[in-house]
């Protein structure tokens, strides 16, 4: 009887432990992604699109502190988007390019996080999210010679 119990309960116990692990991991991921969204919200709320260059060093510093959490829980797509933004933000300082591209890259990180949390088929893009803060975004993009695509 004990052999049968062992063979029967071992897979169930393993599945329960796996579910508990995934639940805890997803909870940590949710908290980390929410913290990132809070950083973006504060930055956009304070600065808008015009003052972004002044706020960029502060945002980079906060994101660097936050990065250790992403190393642990961020999906591959999230980490790629973060890497793209860091490379762009370093290059932007040297070339003094438009701020909208940097903002779009920041919002793309948030889009990748949303997909990782289960919104895989969402049609919302970075520009859609930016429009919630920058109501004249389409005009800004036209002035910078960028299209209005997501």
């Amino acid at each position: 009887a004990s052999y049968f119990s062992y063979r029967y309960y071992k897979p169930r116990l393993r599945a329960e432990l796996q579910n508990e692990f995934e639940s805890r991991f997803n909870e940590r991921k949710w908290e980390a992604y929410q913290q990132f969204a809070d950083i973006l919200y504060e930055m956009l709320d304070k600065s808008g699109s015009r003052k972004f260059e002044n706020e960029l060093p502060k945002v980079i510093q906060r994101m660097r502190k936050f990065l250790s959490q992403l190393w642990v829980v961020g999906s591959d797509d999230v980490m790629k988007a973060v890497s793209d933004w860091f490379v762009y933000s370093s290059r932007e300082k040297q070339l003094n390019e438009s701020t909208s591209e940097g903002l779009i890259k920041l919002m793309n990180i948030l889009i990748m996080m949303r997909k990782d949390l289960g919104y895989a088929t969402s049609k919302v893009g970075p520009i859609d999210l930016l429009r919630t803060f920058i109501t004249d975004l389409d005009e800004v993009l036209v002035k910078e010679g960028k299209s209005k695509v997501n």
Side-chain angles (χ1 to χ4, degrees), residues 1-138:
S2 64
Y3 178 75
F4 174 74
S5 297
Y6 171 78
R7 298 291 280 169
Y8 177 74
Y9 287 111
K10 183 179 178 185
R12 285 181 73 190
L13 182 59
R14 183 177 293 157
E16 288 175 14
L17 288 173
Q18 181 66 28
N19 287 341
E20 178 66 24
F21 170 76
E22 288 174 9
S23 176
R24 288 182 184 185
F25 185 76
N26 286 335
E27 189 175 308
R28 286 188 67 193
K29 185 183 297 190
W30 177 264
E31 290 170 5
Y33 289 0
Q34 181 63 50
Q35 188 177 8
F36 177 82
D38 290 343
I39 291 170
L40 281 184
Y41 177 85
E42 289 173 24
M43 186 270 303
L44 287 171
D45 192 42
K46 285 183 209 172
S47 66
S49 66
R50 310 248 188 275
K51 297 179 185 174
F52 181 69
E53 288 180 23
N54 297 333
E55 293 292 317
L56 188 59
K58 295 176 197 170
V59 172
I60 291 172
Q61 183 179 13
R62 287 187 69 193
M63 286 185 64
R64 287 193 191 280
K65 289 180 183 178
F66 171 75
L67 193 57
S68 64
Q69 291 181 49
L70 287 184
W71 288 337
V72 176
V73 299
S75 70
D76 292 352
D77 289 337
V78 169
M79 294 310 301
K80 173 86 171 92
V82 169
S83 174
D84 288 347
W85 183 78
F86 272 113
V87 168
Y88 174 82
S89 66
S90 296
R91 189 183 61 127
E92 180 186 17
K93 280 189 252 180
Q94 298 166 358
L95 300 177
N96 198 18
E97 294 182 0
S98 73
T99 59
S100 66
E101 188 173 349
L103 289 170
I104 290 168
K105 287 187 177 295
L106 270 174
M107 286 299 165
N108 191 52
I109 297 169
L110 195 56
I111 293 296
M112 293 300 115
M113 289 176 174
R114 286 173 45 90
K115 288 184 179 193
D116 190 31
L117 291 173
Y119 296 102
T121 60
S122 176
K123 303 292 185 226
V124 174
I127 292 176
D128 297 316
L129 293 179
L130 278 175
R131 283 187 188 120
T132 63
F133 275 89
I134 306 170
T135 56
D136 64 341
L137 182 63
D138 293 330

